[in-house]
Amino acid sequence: MADTLRTLAGIAEDLKAVDLVVENIGQLCTLDAPELDGQGPRRGNGMNVLGLVPDAMLLLGAGRVLATGTREEIRGELSRAGGLPATVKIIDAAGRAVIPGFVDPHTHTVFGKTRQDEYERRIQGETYLEIAAAGGGIHSSVADMRGRSEDELLELTTERLREMMAYGTTTVEIKSGYGLNLENEMKMLRVAGAAASAVGIRVVRTCLAAHELPVEYRGRRGDYIRLVTEEILPRVVSEGLAERCDVFCEPSVFDLEESRKILKCARDLGLSLTIHADELESFGGATLAARMRADSADHLIKIDEDGRSALAASRTVAVLLPGTVFSLGLRNYAPAREMIDQGCAVALATDFNPGSSPIRSLPLIQSIACTQMRMAPAESLVATTLNSAWALGLQKETGSLAPGKAADFLILDSKDFRLIPYFAGHNPVKRIFASGIEITA
Ligand code: NIG
Ligand code: FE
C-alpha cells in the first residue's frame, strides 16, 4: 500500500497536541505533495495531483493540521504513542469527502447597491462598456459608495461573506476601488477587515484605488495618479489597511506606463502586487505582471502568446474569472486549457462584484470552468484552493491540508470531489471548519 501518512515532526511523541480528530473520511483530498510544493504554484500535470487518501483520518491541534493518513496508518501511530487523550473531540465524516477550504483570490465584496437594472439592460442587448459610458458601471457604484455609512456597508458585507462561507470559502481577498478618494478607499478597506473578523473568514485586503479615473479627475489623469501614489497608497500602508495593490490595466482605464508607475510605488511601500490584466483587450498586462513579479495577473480573457509564455516562465499565478463571461452573457472565456498545457499556474476566483460577476459561489465557478473552459474537476479544485492561496501569498498558511497549515477544511455532502462541479448551482458543502473552528453559516 502506498505510504500516505504525513505528520508534523514529533506528533507521535506528543499526542497532547491533538484536540480534534476527523474520522471515517471516505475520500481525503489533502492536495499535499511535498515533492511539488517547493517548486511554486502547481502547473501542468501538477494541477491534477490531489494527494488523495481513501478511508482517511485527520488529526488537528490548536487550529493546525497535525497529521493525515489512512485510518490504518493513523491508528498505528496512535497505538504506538499510547492513544489519544480523552478530551479530544471526534468528528465523524460519515464516509464523505474532505477537502481544503476554498480560497477566493479576487472579489469586490464591499459595495452598496446591486445593479440588476444593468443586468436586465445587457440581456436586452446593451454591452458592459456602453452601460459604463452612459453613467452606469463602476462610476455608479462609486457614487453610491460615497453616500453610504460604514455601519451600513459593514452589515451588507458581513451578510455577503456569510453566504460565501456557506459555499465553502474560508479565505477571501477583498478589494477597494469604489471609493476613488482617500476617505472612501480607506472606508472600504476598514469595512473589509471588520466584516471578515465578524464572520471568522481569513481576509487579504487589496487597495484598488486605480480601478477607474474618478469623474472629478477627467482631463487630469496625472493628478489622480499622484493622488494614488502620494496620498492614498502611503496612508493605506501606514494605517495597515491593505496587504496588496491592484490596477485595472486596460487602454481605456490605466495604460501600461500608468499601471507600472502605481505598482512600482506600491511595491516600494511593501505591498504585494496584482493586476486586472488583458480583460477587454490584449494589452500586455500579463507580461507586465510577470515582469514586476506580481503574485497574480487576473482576468486574462484576451491574453496573447507573449503573455502566456511570460506567465508560464514566472511564479505569477493566472487568476481566471469565468463568472464575468458567464454573467455578462458572453462566450469568450480565457484560454484556460491552453494556459495549463503551456505551463501557466492557473487559479480561479469569483470576482464577486455588483456589475460583471454577482456570483459568490466557488463551486459554481468550478462548474463553469469545467464545462466552459475544459478544466478537469481536479484542476478546478487545485485552482480554487492551493493555487489561489499562492495567488494571495498564503501558500504556507492555507490551500492544502499539509501538516503545519491552518485547519481550514470542508466536509462535503458526497464521497467524491468531482460532484462539486458536476451538480452545478448546488451547495456541496456540509460542514465548514476555519482554523479548526466549525462555522455555522
Ligand atoms: O473585475 N474589471 C473591472 N472591475 C470589475 C467590475 C466592476 C464593476 O462592474 O463594478 C471586474 O470585472
Ligand atoms: Fe475584478
Side-chain angles (χ1 to χ4, degrees), residues 105 244 273-275 289 293-298 315-319 391-392:
R244 316 200 308 160
L273 309 181
T274 178
I275 312 189
R293 298 180 193 276
D295 283 347
S296 77
D298 299 23
R315 281 199 174 193
T316 301
V317 178
V319 175
L392 296 178

Side-chain angles (χ1 to χ4, degrees), residues 20 89 91 101 158 161-171 195-202 407-411 427 429-441:
L20 185 64
K89 184 170 177 203
I91 289 172
T158 303
L161 288 179
R162 284 221 166 86
E163 182 169 332
M164 283 183 178
M165 266 199 131
Y167 280 94
T169 299
T170 50
T171 300
S197 334
V199 301
I201 196 167
R202 182 182 294 99
D408 297 341
F409 63 96
L410 312 173
I411 303 180
N427 186 351
V429 179
K430 189 100 181 153
R431 297 175 75 172
I432 305 141
F433 293 80
S435 293
I437 295 171
E438 182 155 21
I439 305 290
T440 37

